[in-house]
Amino acid sequence: MVHMTSLGTPKRHPESGIFWFRKRVPDRLREVVGKSEIKHSLRTRDLGIARIRYLEAALQIERDWVRLTNPLIDTATVCTPIPVQALAVEPIVDITSSSLISSAEPVASKAGLSVRSIFKSYAAEAQLAPATVKRWTPVVERLITHLGHDEATSISRADIVAWKNALLVEDMSNVTIRDVYLAAIKATLQFAVDQDMLSENPAAGIRVRVKDTLHERDKGFSGEEARIILAATLRPPSDKISVEMAAARRWVPWICAYTGARVNEITPLTGRDFLQRDGIPMLRIRAETNKTRKFREVPLYSHLVDQGLLKFAKSRGARPLFYDPRRSRGGSHANPHYKKVGERLAEWVRSLGIDERVAPNHGWRHRFSSLARVLSIPEDVRNILQGHAGAKVSDRYGETWPLVALREIEKLPRYVV
């Protein structure tokens, strides 16, 4: 009688729940086999079926190893299949029974499994942001063009390496290849593995080396650069731009300077995003426009209130403060209007002669962080104010949060222009 423990047992993947076959290669055969372990998916989440498939695979491997060590032995007669009824597997299953056939998971043919279809399924299940889908779709098409086919099961690790090398000789940065091209394909093919469409991810572990960027100055605006930008916000607006774009130039730099928020967290604001907590004017940054997908509320610095920001916000009501959807052109889920506003603001800041080594929008965020450290604003408060991932959410609970946040944010010196 052959016991299951003599051949091993199937192991369940902790994330997908699919059972896998794993068997250590004996030391005497490792050089011949070329690996220390043999493993592959059993393509099922049913333990009973996994046990049968495991035994079949284990017996086949034993036959192969007999051939390797004793090439003259006829394994067809020596290693005849053992009837399942003789195996001490609980529960004992008759592989010819109709109950097993009806309960077994269908093993779908892998032929015709396309990268396009995998990516479409992945994007839907993972609810990828429209901008990500827009950015990654051409990447998938680029890989298909390079391969000359769309057959996922035919992609090898060597294919992905060759594609990476082909991208490297083009006029494309290593960062883009790493963070966009390889990232998109790795995520797509890993989804196929997790769904038991593929047994392994041929892109896993493939890397492109990225040279460290030279940093020749601080990432944040200097005091003089901040003064230049804020002074420009007070100039009479051009009659060639819309009233909303004029408002964006007037207010967005000031709000970013006093909150440390990302520009694309501010450009979607409507009048309804301004509220009161314990009598303190607050700005609500919505989850859907936040990189961390979590809303936060930030007290308004007194200088913003003194300049009339609340009055302007109230005049807009439920409408966006810095764009009019009825007049904006080409807005979409993948490239919404508020992002276009941020892009135009960046162009405007560049036109003021600001150092090109500083991100024209993100420079405020870095400057706010630097000032907060100098002023000894506690790190946990800084993280919550700026919406940094990893902040302790528990620190914002309780009725004292608006008072604490206002006390700390009022430590900032006023910009005088």
Side-chain angles (χ1 to χ4, degrees), residues 195-368:
Q195 302 302 311
D196 198 26
M197 299 175 182
L198 296 177
S199 60
E200 62 181 11
N201 182 350
I206 295 177
R207 300 173 55 198
V208 59
R209 272 62 181 177
V210 176
K211 186 177 181 179
D212 290 339
T213 304
L214 293 175
H215 296 287
E216 298 178 342
R217 60 153 291 166
D218 292 335
K219 294 181 179 180
F221 294 127
S222 66
E224 178 60 18
E225 288 168 332
R227 187 197 65 79
I228 290 173
I229 298 170
L230 295 178
T233 68
L234 304 179
R235 296 172 189 162
S238 168
D239 57 4
K240 296 181 180 180
I241 62 175
S242 66
V243 294
E244 289 81 15
M245 193 63 219
R249 291 184 182 181
R250 169 66 180 87
W251 290 111
V252 173
W254 284 97
I255 298 173
C256 289
Y258 284 137
T259 64
R262 304 171 180 88
V263 165
N264 283 342
E265 293 175 335
I266 302 303
T267 51
L269 293 177
T270 71
R272 291 181 176 176
D273 293 316
F274 293 80
L275 58 154
Q276 296 266 334
R277 294 278 187 249
D278 299 334
I280 298 172
M282 306 283 286
L283 172 63
R284 181 182 177 91
I285 295 176
R286 285 171 276 157
E288 65 263 28
T289 61
N290 191 338
K291 187 176 181 180
T292 61
R293 311 299 291 172
K294 297 179 181 178
F295 87 95
R296 68 182 187 277
E297 293 176 353
V298 181
L300 286 182
Y301 186 73
S302 57
H303 196 195
L304 292 173
V305 178
D306 293 346
Q307 291 185 65
L309 176 59
L310 289 177
K311 182 179 180 181
F312 166 68
K314 185 178 180 179
S315 71
R316 297 292 294 181
R319 294 176 294 162
L321 270 58
F322 305 121
Y323 65 92
D324 186 342
R326 297 172 300 179
R327 290 203 304 269
S328 297
R329 295 175 296 173
S332 65
H333 288 296
N335 191 18
H337 298 301
Y338 69 83
K339 287 190 176 181
K340 290 179 175 292
V341 174
E343 293 168 0
R344 291 166 187 160
L345 278 173
E347 294 172 359
W348 174 67
V349 170
R350 285 276 185 250
S351 73
L352 300 176
I354 302 302
D355 192 334
E356 292 186 356
R357 294 173 295 180
V358 183
N361 287 337
H362 220 56
W364 290 116
R365 191 163 171 81
H366 288 289
R367 179 172 175 80
F368 182 94

Side-chain angles (χ1 to χ4, degrees), residues 34 44 88 114 146 170 193 235 266 269 280 324 351 406 414:
T44 183
S114 73
H146 171 83
E170 299 182 16
V193 173
R235 296 172 189 162
I266 302 303
L269 293 177
I280 298 172
D324 186 342
S351 73
L406 181 63
R414 290 193 175 199

Side-chain angles (χ1 to χ4, degrees), residues 126-170:
Q127 297 181 332
L128 295 182
T132 302
V133 175
K134 180 181 179 181
R135 186 70 181 92
W136 283 10
T137 298
V139 173
V140 172
E141 295 300 324
R142 189 91 172 251
L143 174 63
I144 293 170
T145 300
H146 171 83
L147 296 173
H149 65 81
D150 188 18
E151 181 61 52
T153 55
S154 298
I155 301 175
S156 67
R157 183 179 178 83
D159 290 332
I160 302 298
V161 172
W163 180 56
K164 180 202 74 171
N165 292 336
L167 295 173
L168 285 171
V169 300
E170 299 182 16

